[in-house]
Amino acid sequence: MLFIKLHYFKLSDEFEGLSYLEVSELVLYDKKEYFHCIYKVMDSDNTGDKKVSKEANLAFFKDGYTIASREITDFDSLTPLFKGIQMQYEAISQLTQSFALRTHREGKPIQCEKGCEWCCYQPVYMTTQEAVLIYEFIQQVFDKQQNNEILLKARAKYKQTKHLTEQEKQKIKVACPFLNDGSCSIYSVRPMACRIYLSSDRNLCKQKFKSHGNEGIVPALFDFILKAGKYMNEGFVSFLKGKGRKMEELTIEEFMIKLFGQPNFYYDWLNKDSFADGDSK
């Protein structure tokens, strides 16, 4: 993965041809926990067992969908939505901790740590519900001057990258609007893409950053966690889409520009049924 773009709201190949209602029934009536298959799936990465991998992907998708369906009981306020997102983030955190124990025992530990910012200069995509959570967080936690600085940084990065292809964006190293003195200023609400971008070799990340997009240098990322977060978020977003919420996938800076320009965005998003309005996407 050369850039952090996860197509969350498009149903994956495993669910090709299924309607959202069929996916809903599959998830709610054939629930399958995934924690018990962590080691089996990690082993399959070495053996190339596609069947095991497919089963795990479905399990992750189910978990994301089930968390959303259980926690998001209504759209009268942001509270149920935010509770669901936090539950999802807790689930991926627990999974990452279990995974980290395994990699440590195998002598290939996760090397990401505070102050390691090499991945914070590339394009990072997120989905609508994540953008709303982040925007509401900074409105409550940051002061007016800090919010203005974030918006200025977002505009500056977007101006440099908006006409570029994904490969071209890799050569433009512009910091995330939320990177502050080498640390993430929204760490507790950072999007899923950031949570699952974990490396076993910090030096490779540094080399990738300094190479200005050299495709010959590939970060040593953990595919298992990337897939787990991707499919979990697909399930979560599929639930929201099935409930008529219009879902988008944009870069962090694009979403911040959009939400700063539309302070009541969340209210319209919560209350507008895209199916009824023929605006489902």
Side-chain angles (χ1 to χ4, degrees), residues 91-108:
I92 197 67
S93 177
Q94 291 175 28
L95 182 63
T96 301
Q97 290 175 26
S98 297
F99 180 77
L101 290 174
R102 170 71 178 265
T103 59
H104 182 77
R105 286 197 295 267
E106 294 181 347
K108 193 179 180 182

Side-chain angles (χ1 to χ4, degrees), residues 27-227:
V27 170
L28 296 177
Y29 299 110
D30 187 28
K31 182 71 175 69
K32 180 178 180 181
E33 298 296 339
Y34 60 79
F35 283 107
H36 70 280
C37 65
I38 291 175
Y39 296 142
K40 185 177 180 182
V41 175
M42 284 194 289
D43 290 338
S44 74
D45 289 341
N46 298 323
T47 63
D49 192 333
K50 294 183 178 180
K51 180 180 179 181
V52 172
S53 180
K54 184 175 180 178
E55 290 176 351
N57 292 342
L58 176 58
F60 294 133
F61 182 97
K62 287 179 178 181
D63 194 76
Y65 193 102
T66 302
I67 289 174
S69 65
R70 184 179 63 231
E71 303 297 341
I72 306 175
T73 54
D74 61 71
F75 293 95
D76 296 332
S77 70
L78 290 171
T79 301
L81 174 70
F82 287 173
K83 184 179 179 182
I85 297 174
Q86 288 303 116
M87 290 294 292
Q88 181 192 34
Y89 288 167
E90 287 178 17
I92 197 67
S93 177
Q94 291 175 28
L95 182 63
T96 301
Q97 290 175 26
S98 297
F99 180 77
L101 290 174
R102 170 71 178 265
T103 59
H104 182 77
R105 286 197 295 267
E106 294 181 347
K108 193 179 180 182
I110 298 172
Q111 292 195 358
C112 303
E113 60 183 14
K114 186 176 182 179
C116 180
E117 59 185 285
W118 308 114
C119 61
C120 301
Y121 292 80
Q122 59 186 318
V124 177
Y125 287 78
M126 60 182 174
T127 44
T128 305
Q129 85 283 4
E130 295 179 301
V132 172
L133 173 63
I134 290 173
Y135 180 76
E136 292 303 311
F137 174 83
I138 64 176
Q139 293 303 308
Q140 295 182 31
V141 175
F142 297 161
D143 59 32
K144 185 176 181 180
Q145 181 179 346
Q146 290 173 310
N147 278 317
N148 287 338
E149 290 175 356
I150 290 169
L151 180 57
L152 288 174
K153 290 178 180 178
R155 286 173 173 168
K157 182 166 186 175
Y158 184 60
K159 184 177 180 180
Q160 293 186 57
T161 60
K162 63 180 178 179
H163 297 304
L164 302 179
T165 65
E166 296 298 344
Q167 281 65 36
E168 291 172 336
K169 288 178 182 179
Q170 296 303 308
K171 301 177 182 180
I172 305 296
K173 301 301 180 183
V174 184
C176 171
F178 295 110
L179 185 64
N180 187 14
D181 294 330
S183 297
C184 177
S185 61
I186 58 163
Y187 190 79
S188 63
V189 293
R190 67 197 185 283
M192 179 66 83
C194 298
R195 294 169 187 269
I196 61 179
Y197 197 87
L198 303 175
S199 173
S200 64
D201 191 332
R202 192 163 51 244
N203 288 326
L204 268 181
C205 295
K206 184 177 181 179
Q207 290 176 34
K208 181 66 177 180
F209 173 82
K210 292 182 176 295
S211 72
H212 300 290
N214 184 344
E215 295 185 2
I217 301 176
V218 181
L221 306 180
F222 292 100
D223 190 59
F224 172 74
I225 291 296
L226 286 172
K227 287 182 178 179

